Amino acid sequence: MNIQIKGGRVIDPAQSLDKVSDLYISQGKIIALGDAPEGFEADQTIDASGKVVSPGLIDLCGHLREPGYTHKGNIASETEAAVAGGITSVVTPPTTKPIVDNPAVVELIKDRAERANLAKVLPMGALTKGLQGEQLAPLHALASSGCVAFTNGRHANASSLALTRCLEYAATHDLLVIFQPQDESLTNKGCMHDDTTCTRLGLNGIPESAETIEVSRNLLLVEQTGVRAHFGQLSAERSVRMVMDARERGLPVTADVAIQHFLLTDENVNGFDSNFHLIPPLRSQLDRAGLRQALLAEGIQAICSDHQPHDRAAKEAPFASTEPGIIGFETLLPLSLLLVNQGLMEISQIIDKLATQPAKILGLESGSLEVGRAADICIFDPEEKWSLTAETTRSEGSNTPFMNFELKGRVSHTLIDGQLVYQL
């Protein structure tokens, strides 16, 4: 199908492009920007006047809950939420049931994603068998099956020797390893940041050292093995500073932070609302300020949603007994645009963190509107105000503190490989 996207503000950080222009698509590819190719006849025209046309967003961490936890969500429902948020590719962790530590599970996920025919699902494979931190998972076979990276998630790697062997193998085959750093002994069943608010509320706290100690150890092993590494969903300013220092020394490391950690702090837990129960926890105002500063200083390469749908029962209990996590696919873009509205960043910088840089981290050809690339495209109105409600969310979960919150910036169209998969 031939599609013309007409009169939009085309922003592509990969090409340093920001101008009002037309964009032309044929056979799933972008074939021209500006003037129409000779002989081009549009089968469909999308009027993007007053809107931004950008590369499709790439979310570096979104839990789809399938297989194994379909009472919380499934690939069809969650990818529907993703495309409604302008997300064209979702990286999903291996913490399913069964765990993604063999090619059969990868094939199952890919089959369900193809059946849904919405957002592209990019599975992460388990770094160790069963995420137990002991035996190396079959990384080469998992990569051949379609895994884009490998992680042990927030499960402990108790043996530094075993972790070293895993990283050496990954480095030999140029595989990307993603760390979600957490020292379980220091976490000690805590449920929020260990600070004065935590003490006042009588809740068990999680110190920032539960994250920073693991970041430090992992960086030392990255330096020793030379593996390509990414640190996902960091929450502490000190963690990000360590990664920034490592990059300055030439280590092949990158980092992302979930959007909620740029906006909220531990003080938001005051009302014991379980929608503020997150792992890693919301940190202090100083941490939030440090994360924002690092984002501006290019110390943080990407912003993600860390989307985690839950059934209602998982959040209906005393705060400490609830399951951590919030949904975020549909709110990722408008919440990120809050940083623009607050004067911290430009729209082009936000798109860079949501699309261009995630593609570079994963080694994907997407994340750009360059001629010849796949037509994965997000069209949104940066000025439109709206609210997400329990009735309108596409996700199976409704667990978010941003429910009924006035948002600014709304996706109107999402295209994947030149196919219109979402239209407002």
Side-chain angles (χ1 to χ4, degrees):
M1 175 181 282
N2 291 345
I3 300 175
Q4 177 186 9
I5 300 175
K6 185 177 180 181
R9 178 186 172 187
V10 179
I11 300 179
D12 182 10
Q15 302 182 77
S16 300
L17 182 66
D18 186 348
K19 67 177 182 179
V20 175
S21 181
D22 291 356
L23 186 147
Y24 301 88
I25 299 166
S26 183
Q27 297 182 345
K29 304 285 187 181
I30 298 169
I31 61 169
L33 282 166
D35 297 329
E38 186 176 350
F40 181 88
E41 293 184 6
D43 300 307
Q44 181 178 6
T45 299
I46 298 174
D47 184 3
S49 301
K51 298 174 182 175
V52 172
V53 180
S54 78
L57 312 186
I58 301 171
D59 196 335
L60 289 175
C61 188
H63 298 251
L64 305 182
R65 300 304 194 194
E66 188 177 7
Y69 301 98
T70 52
H71 60 292
K72 296 177 180 291
N74 56 69
I75 289 173
S77 67
E78 303 317 300
T79 54
E80 183 180 359
V83 297
I87 299 167
T88 54
S89 296
V90 177
V91 178
T92 186
T95 50
T96 51
K97 189 177 180 180
I99 287 167
V100 186
D101 62 1
N102 69 81
V105 184
V106 182
E107 293 300 329
L108 172 63
I109 292 171
K110 289 170 58 181
D111 178 67
R112 298 288 169 82
E114 289 175 9
R115 195 178 305 173
N117 197 30
L118 292 166
K120 296 175 180 177
V121 176
L122 309 175
M124 278 192 279
L127 185 63
T128 61
K129 290 184 179 179
L131 299 175
Q132 295 298 309
E134 298 174 356
Q135 290 181 293
L136 180 70
L139 304 191
H140 189 270
L142 290 169
S144 299
S145 297
C147 287
V148 296
F150 298 90
T151 184
N152 230 49
R154 300 199 178 278
H155 296 261
N157 287 292
S159 169
S160 293
L161 177 61
L163 178 57
T164 301
R165 296 292 178 257
C166 292
L167 300 185
E168 287 172 342
Y169 184 91
T172 299
H173 296 277
D174 193 30
L175 303 176
L176 176 66
V177 172
I178 295 181
F179 295 108
Q180 294 174 303
Q182 175 178 280
D183 184 310
E184 288 189 0
S185 64
L186 286 171
T187 299
N188 193 29
K189 299 181 181 179
C191 59
M192 67 171 294
H193 178 56
D194 189 11
D195 207 343
T196 55
T197 302
C198 166
T199 302
R200 179 164 49 81
L201 296 177
L203 297 172
N204 290 335
I206 302 174
E208 72 164 27
S209 57
E211 179 175 287
T212 55
I213 284 175
E214 275 296 292
V215 170
S216 178
R217 178 179 75 148
N218 294 337
L219 283 172
L220 289 170
L221 294 180
V222 167
E223 187 168 14
Q224 177 178 317
T225 61
V227 70
R228 285 192 299 126
H230 177 76
F231 287 79
Q233 300 84 65
L234 296 180
S235 65
E237 186 263 352
R238 189 174 298 179
S239 300
V240 174
R241 290 295 169 191
M242 286 193 287
V243 174
M244 291 175 68
D245 290 343
R247 283 176 60 83
E248 289 178 2
R249 297 200 312 272
L251 266 64
V253 292
T254 51
D256 74 65
V257 171
I259 182 58
Q260 48 268 21
H261 284 86
F262 291 114
L263 303 174
L264 305 172
T265 70
D266 61 328
E267 294 180 7
N268 291 105
V269 181
N270 266 328
F272 293 100
D273 183 347
S274 63
N275 285 318
F276 293 102
H277 183 188
L278 306 177
I279 297 293
L282 297 170
R283 298 291 181 184
S284 68
Q285 290 190 30
L286 288 175
D287 278 305
R288 180 180 63 178
L291 294 179
R292 289 183 169 208
Q293 184 179 3
L295 184 67
L296 295 175
E298 300 300 324
I300 297 168
Q301 285 67 51
I303 301 172
C304 73
S305 73
D306 199 12
H307 175 84
Q308 298 182 48
H310 283 298
D311 56 298
R312 182 176 295 180
K315 287 291 187 178
E316 291 183 344
F319 187 91
S321 300
T322 59
E323 295 186 50
I326 65 175
I327 60 170
F329 283 156
E330 291 165 279
T331 56
L332 175 59
L333 178 60
L335 291 180
S336 298
L337 290 173
L338 279 176
L339 301 177
V340 176
N341 298 331
Q342 293 170 1
L344 295 174
M345 302 181 76
E346 301 293 334
I347 292 181
S348 59
Q349 293 175 298
I350 290 295
I351 293 171
D352 184 53
K353 302 298 184 184
L354 294 176
T356 309
Q357 292 301 323
K360 289 181 179 179
I361 290 167
L362 297 171
L364 304 177
E365 290 191 1
S366 52
S368 172
L369 299 177
E370 185 179 347
V371 171
R373 299 287 182 95
D376 292 354
I377 297 171
C378 169
I379 304 175
F380 64 94
D381 184 342
E383 299 299 324
E384 183 174 347
K385 295 180 180 179
W386 65 289
S387 295
L388 184 70
T389 68
E391 292 72 34
T392 59
T393 180
R394 275 84 173 169
S395 172
E396 287 291 303
S398 57
N399 50 299
T400 173
F402 299 105
M403 195 66 71
N404 302 309
F405 181 83
E406 185 178 81
L407 302 165
K408 187 178 180 183
R410 192 172 194 180
V411 174
S412 61
H413 301 79
T414 303
L415 294 90
I416 297 179
D417 290 329
Q419 298 295 315
L420 187 62
V421 294
Y422 171 77
Q423 182 172 357
L424 184 63

